[in-house]
């Protein structure tokens, strides 16, 4: 009898050890693993981008404005593999490029109902109303990628068909509009709509260039902007949700990339590597991350970006 109890006790300890090792392995895999690919590259030729920015004649943007309809606090380690477990403030921003020929809106944020469904309680209704007005008045709208926190404000808009007609959507953004929050295009919204097609770079206005960057999503793209005074910006979307994704060469945790966004980690690693080199070679370019509240606030404080969409 004693031998049976001893055997059961030994078996229990072995099972607990196996479970502990499995938990440690899963924690490492989903939160700490940050292995980058050993080969491959992403083309980010600033000379070619600047040449494309001059392709369309005319006056370049005079000002860049930001509205931030929502905020959310999440553990830093979720957005930066291997970081700390303390919460950081993420925000959903929309930007307006002020041009003589009409403004360009970058990203449409969440609508209030979608934000609520995603568990976001800190929502600025006044900022959302200013964004709605700005989208109606804009000459063009461009979306960095097809996740609901960037495209939802377009898809759920009451005036969606008119807005889509002036939005630069690529084929992947149309075909896969959202797979983190189940949404679909309203009936008739895409009638006779033709997607924007380009190889790697495309000027859409004086000083404004789309840069194809498939990886975070199939339709991901970055947006280069050269202001009229020569100041340069690169809106990275969620290629880099945080500035530290580039600075520390740590992308989002596998919890996010493997279970929520289903992205191509190798492609994102190569893109952040190229972005780091660009930031080192061209330190005056303002690198704007997708959700980094602290980074954007620093740009506002320094005068590089203006808070609020003006009249």
């Amino acid at each position: 009898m004693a031998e049976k109890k001893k055997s059961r006790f030994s078996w229990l300890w072995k099972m607990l050890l196996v479970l502990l090792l499995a938990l440690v392995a899963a924690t490492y895999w989903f939160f700490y693993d940050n292995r980058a690919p050993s080969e491959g590259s992403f083309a980010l030729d600033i000379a070619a981008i600047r040449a494309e920015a001059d392709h369309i004649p005319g006056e370049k943007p005079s000002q860049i404005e930001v509205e931030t309809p929502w905020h959310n606090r999440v553990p830093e380690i979720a957005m930066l593999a291997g970081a700390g477990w303390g919460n950081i403030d993420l925000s959903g921003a929309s930007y307006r490029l002020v041009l003589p020929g009409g403004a360009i809106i970058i990203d449409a944020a969440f609508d209030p109902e979608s934000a609520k469904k995603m568990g976001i309680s800190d929502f600025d209704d006044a900022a959302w109303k200013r964004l709605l007005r700005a989208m109606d008045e804009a000459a063009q709208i461009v979306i960095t990628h097809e996740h609901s926190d960037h495209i939802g404000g377009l898809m759920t808009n009451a005036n969606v068909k008119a807005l889509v007609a002036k939005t630069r959507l690529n084929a992947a953004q149309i075909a896969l509009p959202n797979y983190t929050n189940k949404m679909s295009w309203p009936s008739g919204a895409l009638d006779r709509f033709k997607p924007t097609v380009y190889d790697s770079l495309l000027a859409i206005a004086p000083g404004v260039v789309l840069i194809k960057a498939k990886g975070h999503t199939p339709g991901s793209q970055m947006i280069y902007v050269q202001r009229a005074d020569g100041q340069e910006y690169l809106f990275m979307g969620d290629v880099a949700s945080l500035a530290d994704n580039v600075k520390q060469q740590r992308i989002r945790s596998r919890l996010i990339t493997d279970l929520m966004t289903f992205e191509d980690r190798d492609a994102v690693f190569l893109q952040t590597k190229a972005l780091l080199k660009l930031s080192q070679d061209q330190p005056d370019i303002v690198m704007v991350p997708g959700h980094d509240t602290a980074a954007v606030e620093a740009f506002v404080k320094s005068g590089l970006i203006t808070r609020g969409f003006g009249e």
Side-chain angles (χ1 to χ4, degrees):
M1 192 72 174
E3 285 297 323
K4 286 185 178 180
K5 286 184 177 180
K6 184 178 180 180
S7 177
R8 289 174 183 173
F9 186 74
S10 176
W11 176 85
L12 179 61
W13 271 109
K14 288 178 181 178
M15 287 300 298
L16 289 173
L17 180 60
V18 169
L19 290 173
L20 178 61
L21 290 174
L23 178 61
V24 170
T27 300
Y28 173 81
W29 179 256
F30 284 115
F31 292 103
Y32 290 92
D33 181 53
N34 192 60
R35 288 169 293 174
S38 57
E39 56 185 27
S41 63
F42 177 76
L44 200 55
D45 184 342
I46 189 60
I49 294 169
R50 285 168 174 160
E52 186 69 15
D54 291 332
H55 183 72
I56 298 177
E59 191 172 337
K60 295 173 181 177
S62 59
Q63 183 167 290
I64 298 176
E65 303 167 337
V66 62
E67 287 286 2
T68 310
W70 63 266
H71 289 263
N72 194 32
R73 295 190 65 78
V74 302
E76 183 182 25
I77 198 169
M79 306 304 293
L80 189 70
W85 287 86
N87 285 341
I88 58 171
D89 184 42
L90 300 184
S91 55
S94 178
Y95 299 89
R96 181 164 74 168
L97 314 179
V98 180
L99 294 97
I104 298 176
I105 299 297
I106 298 176
D107 282 341
F110 267 134
D111 64 285
E113 188 60 32
S114 296
K116 185 177 180 180
K117 288 179 181 177
M118 294 295 286
I120 294 172
S121 58
D122 188 353
F123 196 90
D124 186 338
D125 290 318
W128 170 245
K129 289 176 182 177
R130 289 191 293 269
L131 172 55
L132 288 178
R133 185 185 69 235
M135 286 195 291
D136 284 339
E137 296 173 352
Q140 295 188 68
I141 300 170
V142 62
I143 304 296
T144 57
H145 65 284
E146 62 277 20
H147 279 157
S148 60
D149 52 338
H150 294 259
I151 199 173
L154 171 67
M155 294 179 65
T156 61
N157 196 291
N159 198 27
V160 59
K161 189 169 184 179
L163 295 182
V164 162
K166 58 182 178 181
T167 302
R168 295 279 190 161
L169 294 167
N170 59 49
Q173 291 174 343
I174 293 170
L176 193 62
N178 197 293
Y179 45 82
T180 58
N181 184 17
K182 300 300 181 183
M183 296 171 65
S184 59
W185 292 104
S187 177
L190 299 174
D191 288 352
R192 294 182 294 280
F193 179 80
K194 293 184 179 180
T196 297
V197 179
Y198 67 101
D199 291 328
S200 59
L201 304 175
L202 178 68
I204 62 169
V208 184
V209 178
L210 305 184
I211 304 170
K212 188 169 289 187
K214 176 182 177 181
H216 176 62
T217 68
S220 284
Q221 55 192 5
M222 294 185 282
I223 301 160
Y224 168 87
V225 178
Q226 186 181 86
R227 227 167 43 185
D229 62 2
Q231 177 63 58
E232 298 170 287
Y233 299 78
L234 186 59
F235 293 86
M236 299 182 288
D238 276 352
V239 171
S241 299
L242 303 177
D244 279 344
N245 292 137
V246 174
K247 293 175 183 177
Q248 297 186 25
Q249 289 294 279
R250 291 181 173 274
I251 68 169
R252 288 167 295 276
S253 69
R254 284 188 179 273
L255 174 73
I256 302 297
T257 65
D258 292 8
L259 299 183
M260 297 178 67
T261 56
F262 311 107
E263 59 197 81
D264 183 338
R265 285 178 65 88
D266 284 356
V268 175
F269 267 118
L270 296 175
Q271 289 160 7
T272 56
K273 182 179 179 180
L275 287 165
L276 178 63
K277 186 176 187 306
L278 177 63
S279 69
Q280 292 168 340
D281 293 343
Q282 305 286 334
D284 290 335
I285 296 178
V286 178
M287 314 283 276
V288 185
H291 294 288
D292 194 328
T293 302
V296 174
E297 287 302 319
F299 297 147
V300 171
K301 187 175 181 180
S302 67
L304 289 164
I305 295 177
T306 301
R307 169 65 63 192
F309 289 170
E311 294 297 333

